[in-house]
């Protein structure tokens, strides 16, 4: 059975702090891993990681995948209150089927 | 920009009713998905479809069925609604091919079964 574990489940930090969110997975026929940010409505896509060791960056967010150790991390530097959200990790299996989501990390940034 | 539209943001129905949730995407995507999201359980895949009239069960298909008569529309059907189907339902779509795979989500339908 596929398994995705995100940690921590929740995190409260102050503006300006740097945070690291973790995702470990066990997925049959792994193809790639996706990170999403969910505020009040639909999850919005952040990154898709396919290869180990290659960091993807978008502004203050970055992410990296380790396919040997089966985990990924999402870093957010100089956090802002607008970063408050649930961050979802979702490995993708081969084929057309859907993603397997972790339960998410609920991140709260305090002013 | 990809637009995935779910017909209702909030819906209240009674136990035993047949419930239809509709989803439309405007990007000619081949793949469409229905998830439900519950506190403490995260997003779980109910059904997906990779082509018109094609459907595949996801992780929790019991109590649900789907219909994909046209490429842009994917319907989720609760044959006889029960209270344990109260949840947030999210529809998503994606195209084929690894290079452009991210699933795009609708805003969700919060369904309450009384």
């Amino acid at each position: 059975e596929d398994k995705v574990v995100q940690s921590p489940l929740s995190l409260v930090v102050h503006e300006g702090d740097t945070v690291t969110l973790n995702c470990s997975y066990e997925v049959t026929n792994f193809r790639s891993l996706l990170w999403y940010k969910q505020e009040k409505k639909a999850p919005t896509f952040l990154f898709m990681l396919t290869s180990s060791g290659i960091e993807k960056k978008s502004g203050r967010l970055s992410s990296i995948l380790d396919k040997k150790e089966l985990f990924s991390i999402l870093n957010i530097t100089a956090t802002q209150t607008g970063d408050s959200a649930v961050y979802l990790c979702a490995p993708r299996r081969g084929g057309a089927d859907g993603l397997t989501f972790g339960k998410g990390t609920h991140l709260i940034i305090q002013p | 920009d990809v637009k995935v539209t779910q017909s209702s943001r909030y819906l209240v129905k009674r136990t035993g009713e047949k419930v239809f949730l509709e989803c439309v995407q405007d990007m000619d995507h081949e793949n469409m998905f229905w998830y439900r999201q519950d506190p403490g359980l995260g997003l779980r895949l109910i059904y997906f479809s990779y082509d018109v009239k094609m459907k595949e069960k996801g992780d929790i298909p019991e109590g649900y069925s789907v219909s994909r008569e046209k490429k842009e529309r994917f319907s989720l059907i609760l044959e006889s609604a029960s209270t344990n189907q109260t949840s947030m339902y999210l529809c998503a779509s994606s195209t084929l091919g690894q290079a452009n795979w991210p699933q795009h989500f609708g805003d969700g339908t919060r369904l309450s079964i009384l």
Side-chain angles (χ1 to χ4, degrees), chain A residues 24-66:
Chain A
S24 65
Y25 64 90
E26 289 175 36
V27 170
T28 310
N29 195 19
F30 174 85
R31 294 293 296 276
S32 57
L33 186 141
L34 285 76
W35 282 96
Y36 283 86
K37 176 184 181 182
Q38 186 175 23
E39 295 172 269
K40 288 193 170 37
K41 298 187 207 172
T44 53
F45 171 73
L46 294 174
F47 297 110
M48 182 168 77
L49 304 159
T50 308
S51 304
S52 272
I54 298 173
E55 187 183 46
K56 291 221 172 175
K57 284 193 77 139
S58 176
R60 296 176 294 102
L61 277 67
S62 64
S63 185
I64 198 160
L65 175 68
D66 186 327

Side-chain angles (χ1 to χ4, degrees), chain B residues 4-96:
Chain B
V4 179
T5 304
Q6 293 183 230
S7 53
S8 308
R9 288 278 289 138
Y10 300 94
L11 206 52
V12 180
K13 296 289 183 181
R14 295 208 173 273
T15 304
E17 279 191 71
K18 191 168 185 174
V19 181
F20 292 85
L21 302 184
E22 306 286 348
C23 175
V24 176
Q25 49 94 4
D26 67 357
M27 283 303 289
D28 202 36
H29 282 170
E30 294 84 4
N31 303 326
M32 295 189 76
F33 308 85
W34 275 106
Y35 295 88
R36 64 178 281 177
Q37 186 172 30
D38 301 288
L41 295 175
L43 274 119
R44 293 177 292 165
L45 180 66
I46 305 171
Y47 266 97
F48 66 97
S49 167
Y50 52 89
D51 203 351
V52 175
K53 295 195 188 295
M54 306 301 286
K55 60 186 179 186
E56 294 283 345
K57 291 180 181 177
D59 300 316
I60 49 162
E62 296 79 18
Y64 302 95
S65 62
V66 289
S67 171
R68 187 134 181 236
E69 296 297 317
K70 293 186 178 180
K71 193 175 185 181
E72 67 270 18
R73 186 180 294 270
F74 192 35
S75 304
L76 180 70
I77 303 154
L78 286 66
E79 298 290 345
S80 176
S82 64
T83 54
N84 64 10
Q85 292 178 309
T86 291
S87 186
M88 168 70 91
Y89 289 87
L90 288 159
C91 173
S93 74
S94 72
T95 189
L96 288 173

